[in-house]
Every structure is written in C-alpha cells, then in structure tokens.
Amino acid sequence: MSENPHLTLVLGGARSGKSAYAESLIVTHPSPWTYIATADILDEEMRARVDAHRARRGEDWRTVEAAQALVDAIREAPVDRPLLIDCLTLWLSNRLLGGADLSSDRDALVDALSSRSAPTVAVSSEVGLSIVPDNALARSFRDAAGELHQAVSRSAGRVVLVVAGNPLFAKGPSIM
C-alpha cells in the first residue's frame, strides 16, 4: 500500500497535547471540519474529558460519534473536507472489548484512511513505551495498539509524536 500524503498520524501519551496539536493542523484548512469522536462516555471523568474537547472546538466543527463504526464514519465523511479522528486507541479498546476481529478492523481502517484525498489527521495514544502490563487483556490491547499504529504509519504521509505539547516529526514533512 502506498503512502497517503493527506494522512497524518499523531501519537502521544495521556495529556501530551496530541489532540490540541491535531486540531491545530486541521484548522489551517478551510472549514467546515469533521471531527469523528470514538469515546464511549461511561463515567463522569470521561464526560469531563469530552466536554473539554468540545469546548476547545468552535461552531465550524461537525462532530460524528463513532465509538464502534469508525470505518463507516470515515467513509461517510465529506471526501473534500478536512477530517480529524480522535482517537484510534479508544476505538480499538471498544472493538477489543466487543470481541471484534481486530485484524480485519485494522485492515478496513487503513483502507478507509488511505482512500481519503482531503487532509486527514488520526490521533492515537502511544501505550507501548511503559512497563509490560500485568494482565492478558492489557497486554493484548498494548500489542493491538502497536500493530494498529504500525499499519496506519505505513500508509500515512506524516507521523508526529507529541511529547509535553511539542511535536516531534517521525515521518514526513513538518508542515502540513
């Protein structure tokens, strides 16, 4: 599969600034912008996180909720408009806990992302830089996230790791 120059993968740890950085990339393009949210709001702490993200965005954002059906949401998004997906690891955890075929899901996601011709930014949490988890489910998630990140990275024209609010360019140009 060839690289899609319109696709940027933004990785980072918790509270690294990856979402704000991804939003700053998208808003350099004409609005309206589409935001695909993958979070399932299961508790008040997650609601507060989602509310903070929504407050940061203005009226020019169209939000699509896709906790499970991310591939469909990408395919249904306007093909000529900028798209932000936040985040791949939340979607992955939803799919893992739902018993999905993660390999097929990963392939379908990469195919959907690769087919886009408008600026597309996918945000994901880097979870493989820490200790080996002590339970099988967490190890399975960490491994699946690493495989997902590698697959998306291979098709992305640019990969950025955000550390403490600072973008580090791992692949491709430093300007979108």
Side-chain angles (χ1 to χ4, degrees), residues 9 11 88-89 92 102 106 110 124-129 138-154:
L9 174 61
L11 299 165
L88 298 183
T89 43
L92 180 66
L102 299 183
R106 180 181 62 243
V110 169
S124 203
S125 294
E126 177 51 67
V127 297
L129 297 174
R139 286 189 301 274
S140 177
F141 172 74
R142 181 214 46 204
D143 293 350
E147 292 165 0
L148 177 64
H149 293 159
Q150 288 184 56
V152 174
S153 175
R154 280 190 294 275

Side-chain angles (χ1 to χ4, degrees), residues 36-170:
I36 299 178
T38 62
D40 261 338
I41 301 173
L42 302 175
D43 57 36
E44 287 308 309
E45 187 269 341
M46 183 56 88
R47 175 160 306 289
R49 286 177 181 258
V50 168
D51 289 347
H53 279 243
R54 284 184 180 146
R56 197 170 52 224
R57 298 189 308 269
E59 297 286 322
D60 287 332
W61 288 91
R62 176 183 162 254
T63 300
V64 176
E65 303 287 337
Q68 293 283 339
L70 176 58
V71 172
D72 291 339
I74 293 168
R75 293 198 187 283
E76 293 167 5
V79 296
D80 60 342
R81 307 301 321 154
L83 174 66
L84 173 64
I85 302 150
D86 198 358
C87 89
L88 298 183
T89 43
L90 283 174
W91 169 76
L92 180 66
S93 67
N94 295 338
R95 302 298 291 155
L96 176 67
L97 294 174
D101 178 346
L102 299 183
S103 179
S104 293
D105 281 358
R106 180 181 62 243
D107 292 347
L109 175 67
V110 169
D111 183 62
L113 290 170
S114 296
S115 69
R116 293 209 25 99
S117 59
T120 303
V121 178
V123 176
S124 203
S125 294
E126 177 51 67
V127 297
L129 297 174
S130 188
I131 61 171
V132 175
D134 68 350
N135 66 78
L137 178 61
R139 286 189 301 274
S140 177
F141 172 74
R142 181 214 46 204
D143 293 350
E147 292 165 0
L148 177 64
H149 293 159
Q150 288 184 56
V152 174
S153 175
R154 280 190 294 275
S155 67
R158 181 169 55 175
V159 178
V160 182
L161 176 65
V162 178
V163 178
N166 298 290
L168 305 173
F169 299 93

